[in-house]
Amino acid sequence: MKLFRSIKELQQTLAADRIAGLTIGFVPTMGALHLGHLSLVERAGRENDRVVVSIFVNPTQFNDPHDLRIYPRTLDADMALLSGCRCDYVFAPSVEEIYPEPDTRKFDFGSLGSVMEGHFRPGHFNGVAQVVSRLFDLVKPGKAYFGLKDFQQYSIIKNMCLILKLPIGIVACDIVREADGLAMSSRNALLTPEHRAVAPQIYSTLQLALKEAGHFAPDVVKRHVADRINSLGLLKIEYFEIVDELTLKTVSSWKRKGTKVGCIAVFAGKVRLIDNIIFAK
Ligand code: PAF
């Protein structure tokens, strides 16, 4: 496994691989790696000849400077974890390497980008699209791997590839959970022991919503989820939306065609956690 800090060296190596006819799989990350990331890396390893993992805490996608400051940065531990996987190249550039000039591009994802995370974290998806399009342009992967915990991000990236006409297969990978159901996230490391103890209730509440689906209208299920989360004392709901899988538009009836997804954002103290659940068709 080789660590690259510079774009030039990474590109030289990848160009040689491409000439040799090797396929390239890419896993973009912000580091603080956990088993969820490693499952993406393992899948990329099964489906490609070479695997590139980027580790870059992208400042343009943080709408809250405090959040950017406290985001965990653990390169040595990340390298140790990756060395146990089928990862060939780690790309860990500086901010200056990725943004020699400020990136002023504006992406328009329509309603996909303005609901849920887009509403509560203005500018977030524009920053994600800036960095992911830049990384895609540098790495030029055949396939790129994203976890479904960030369901809306996955929709945005697919849409970005359509807008920019990028010939990259976007592979959605299942959420990986802790034994107690909490979705794995780099932010879990920031939870206090009290908040960590109550955080699995997010997933158990989503499962209750799954049981209620069809028996109560979506609006009622949404209210039950919000009330349950807020009643736990240590958690505070930011949103729970039941949306169409493709349009991310709020669903008002279970009878509507298509798969529905329940997306939730919750504050556990100062730490913001997201999760989701797929309602069967
Ligand atoms: O999901 C993430 O970790 C980030 O949003 C990503 C895709 C690596 C872009 O910075």
Side-chain angles (χ1 to χ4, degrees):
M1 191 173 79
K2 200 158 181 258
L3 171 66
F4 293 93
R5 296 289 196 171
S6 91
I7 291 174
K8 200 166 153 210
E9 283 172 22
L10 174 76
Q11 285 188 313
Q12 276 166 356
T13 300
L14 290 176
D17 286 343
R18 243 177 256 113
I19 289 168
L22 302 180
T23 58
I24 296 165
F26 179 42
V27 182
T29 82
M30 297 206 297
L33 302 182
H34 49 67
L35 291 178
H37 294 113
L38 300 191
S39 75
L40 308 183
V41 178
E42 295 296 358
R43 177 146 179 204
R46 287 195 299 275
E47 298 181 358
N48 301 274
D49 301 316
R50 290 281 181 267
V51 176
V52 183
V53 175
S54 65
I55 297 181
F56 178 65
V57 181
N58 172 38
T60 72
Q61 72 187 73
F62 284 82
N63 53 321
D64 174 358
H66 172 74
D67 199 21
L68 172 60
R69 227 174 14 252
I70 64 165
Y71 201 86
R73 289 158 172 89
T74 56
L75 184 61
D76 291 344
D78 292 345
M79 293 295 288
L81 281 176
L82 288 172
S83 64
C85 297
R86 248 236 53 211
C87 170
D88 300 289
Y89 310 130
V90 179
F91 178 45
S94 64
V95 173
E96 295 71 34
E97 188 73 1
I98 294 294
Y99 299 116
E101 306 287 336
D103 191 337
T104 53
R105 288 175 299 159
K106 293 267 179 273
F107 293 82
D108 182 3
F109 297 113
S111 60
L112 279 188
S114 59
V115 296
M116 301 189 290
E117 293 300 286
H119 176 74
F120 286 99
R121 302 183 67 192
H124 169 65
F125 287 128
N126 201 63
V128 169
Q130 286 174 341
V131 77
V132 174
S133 60
R134 177 109 178 95
L135 292 168
F136 278 0
D137 187 44
L138 303 174
V139 175
K140 298 192 178 21
K143 289 184 183 174
Y145 296 79
F146 291 86
L148 281 175
K149 179 176 73 67
D150 300 286
F151 187 83
Q152 193 175 4
Q153 169 170 277
Y154 162 70
S155 307
I156 292 280
I157 303 285
K158 269 198 318 185
N159 194 253
M160 183 194 82
C161 288
L162 283 179
I163 295 172
L164 300 177
K165 300 191 173 55
L166 301 178
I168 300 172
I170 301 302
V171 183
C173 302
D174 286 342
I175 300 176
V176 180
R177 298 184 180 281
E178 302 286 355
D180 58 14
L182 178 63
M184 288 196 185
S185 163
S186 308
R187 292 171 196 274
N188 293 353
L190 302 171
L191 293 168
T192 64
E194 293 74 24
H195 287 117
R196 175 63 189 83
V198 75
Q201 298 291 336
I202 298 170
Y203 183 52
S204 54
T205 305
L206 290 179
Q207 285 178 308
L208 283 184
L210 206 56
K211 287 201 188 114
E212 287 194 356
H215 301 288
F216 295 97
D219 268 356
V220 177
V221 176
K222 275 159 58 174
R223 208 170 53 240
H224 289 171
V225 165
D227 289 349
R228 184 166 191 275
I229 292 287
N230 289 335
S231 73
L232 295 165
L234 286 167
L235 301 179
K236 192 166 176 344
I237 193 132
E238 186 162 62
Y239 67 77
F240 174 61
E241 288 294 342
I242 299 172
V243 299
D244 176 85
E245 159 190 55
L246 297 176
T247 63
L248 303 189
K249 291 213 166 98
T250 300
V251 168
S252 52
S253 160
W254 297 112
K255 293 205 178 104
R256 237 188 106 111
K257 244 175 72 189
T259 301
K260 290 132 196 106
V261 189
C263 299
I264 195 165
V266 171
F267 277 99
K270 288 200 165 75
V271 182
R272 189 172 180 280
L273 301 173
I274 60 171
D275 199 348
N276 63 74
I277 200 149
I278 312 274
F279 294 98
K281 269 183 214 174

